[in-house]
Amino acid sequence: MKLKEYRTRFISRLAEVYDIVEAESLFSIVLKELKGWGRVDLAMNPDVSLTTVEHQKWDLVLEQLLKQVPIQYIFGKAHFYGMEFEVSPSTLIPRPETEELVEMVVHENRQKGKIKILDIGTGSGCIAVSLAKNLPTAQVFAIDVSAGALEAAKRNAAHNSVEVTFWQEDILALKSLPTQFDVIVSNPPYVRHVEKAEIKPNVLEHEPHLALFVEDTDPLLFYRKIAGLGKSALNSNGRLYFEINQYLGNETAALLEDLGYKNIALKKDLFGNYRMISCSV
Ligand code: GLN
């Protein structure tokens, strides 16, 4: 079958599940990944045909996409803050909102020189690795409870040529942090079960629930624990940065205030939702 005809078939099948713009963009990603071609290459080679082997490979990807498997898991990679990251079902797919959190930490700490940074619940390592890359004089540490996530995070640090020290720890079980830090950053689980109805099937059915969900009765438990540990582990000029649940901005700010944090700043993401908070000790 000619690639052009296959494209029409591929996109019309995907349109059963995705909107047309997304279906076309998924085709472009597959074209790049499986054939190394951009749109222009296809336009310039309108008569090229897929071999039987290629056809089978493309069909396999199509089947997975129809089951709403995220394209990042199909090819095992995602892009974040201008870098490439390996992702697997034991790590969340890095989100654009989290790039904004990284941007805030980079922007506010650029002039600070040899600081120590800790990322809690690092997952794929996207926050820790991009901070290490963009704040090259900083020393970066990262914690996660999942051995699978840490393996991916270590490969991501190596792949992007940065040094990050990784520890496997359950943050909820830690009584104190092993050393002092100037910056603590975290994107912990924060989605309540009551919000499940808002979550798309590609996220709900494929991304790790361990990294996403918290109990409806205590949605801020990670924030309370991390901010509590930060009170003694942050240096006097230290700052804490969190990605947050958009519906719990005021509650998160109140929790930090109760713990004695100062200069609390709540920020919206590019979608206009309260998504980040930072404060100093
Ligand atoms: N922002 C992510 C989502 O909407 C959730 C990330 C998290 O729980 N830390 O799926």
Side-chain angles (χ1 to χ4, degrees):
M1 184 189 279
K2 280 190 181 171
L3 183 51
K4 253 182 103 178
E5 289 157 17
Y6 187 86
R7 176 182 185 275
T8 309
R9 210 193 68 163
F10 192 97
I11 290 174
S12 74
R13 289 288 316 278
L14 282 185
E16 296 163 18
V17 176
Y18 301 88
D19 72 50
I20 190 71
V21 176
E22 202 170 357
E24 281 173 1
S25 119
L26 287 168
F27 177 83
S28 296
I29 297 172
V30 177
L31 182 67
K32 190 86 208 162
E33 282 297 324
L34 293 186
K35 211 163 171 62
W37 277 18
R39 274 172 212 248
V40 179
D41 300 299
L42 181 58
M44 287 172 65
N45 297 281
D47 294 325
V48 81
S49 293
L50 286 180
T51 65
T52 315
V53 175
E54 279 178 324
H55 203 286
Q56 284 166 352
K57 247 181 156 171
W58 285 65
D59 276 352
L60 227 62
V61 173
L62 177 61
E63 288 316 312
Q64 288 177 279
L65 287 172
L66 288 171
K67 287 187 203 139
Q68 308 236 24
V69 179
I71 190 121
Q72 294 90 341
Y73 287 157
I74 298 176
F75 294 120
K77 61 184 171 193
H79 291 93
F80 181 84
Y81 214 71
M83 284 172 273
E84 188 182 280
F85 287 83
E86 169 191 325
V87 291
S88 73
S90 54
T91 67
L92 279 186
I93 295 163
R95 309 281 204 269
E97 301 93 294
T98 310
E99 290 182 311
E100 294 187 70
L101 178 72
V102 168
E103 179 59 31
M104 178 160 76
V105 179
V106 169
H107 179 74
E108 292 184 11
N109 294 279
R110 203 169 254 144
Q111 313 295 345
K112 296 207 180 134
K114 220 173 163 299
I115 55 168
K116 270 171 135 175
I117 300 176
L118 175 65
D119 172 25
I120 298 175
T122 197
S124 65
C126 64
I127 296 176
V129 170
S130 43
L131 290 177
K133 194 81 183 175
N134 291 278
L135 295 170
T137 51
Q139 244 184 310
V140 182
F141 300 79
I143 289 177
D144 205 282
V145 68
S146 154
L150 282 174
E151 287 310 312
K154 283 179 191 166
R155 284 193 291 272
N156 282 326
H159 179 69
N160 287 294
S161 316
V162 295
E163 255 182 61
V164 175
T165 306
F166 292 101
W167 295 309
Q168 187 180 4
E169 296 287 356
D170 174 1
I171 193 68
L172 295 177
L174 275 187
K175 300 246 177 325
S176 62
L177 292 173
T179 178
Q180 295 296 114
F181 297 94
D182 303 288
V183 167
I184 295 177
V185 56
S186 183
N187 172 20
Y190 59 67
V191 182
R192 291 171 293 181
H193 294 281
V194 285
E195 289 156 23
K196 259 189 180 157
E198 290 175 29
I199 312 238
K200 292 192 180 146
N202 59 334
V203 174
L204 194 60
E205 286 162 26
H206 299 283
E207 297 204 61
H209 286 197
L210 178 68
L212 284 172
F213 290 108
V214 282
E215 292 304 323
D216 293 349
T217 47
D218 191 11
L220 298 179
L221 85 163
F222 285 95
Y223 296 83
R224 193 180 317 110
K225 181 70 193 190
I226 293 167
L229 292 170
K231 279 305 281 181
S232 39
L234 278 166
N235 288 326
S236 55
N237 64 342
R239 211 159 160 80
L240 183 57
Y241 298 85
F242 282 120
E243 182 172 316
I244 61 164
N245 182 314
Q246 65 188 89
Y247 304 115
L248 299 173
N250 291 334
E251 287 84 343
T252 312
L255 179 148
L256 295 171
E257 208 177 329
D258 285 349
L259 284 165
Y261 281 92
K262 312 258 176 342
N263 306 318
I264 299 168
L266 197 53
K267 273 189 107 173
K268 286 184 176 170
D269 63 19
L270 73 170
F271 305 111
N273 296 316
Y274 284 115
R275 187 63 68 200
M276 292 152 277
I277 201 162
S278 63
C279 56
S280 40
V281 275

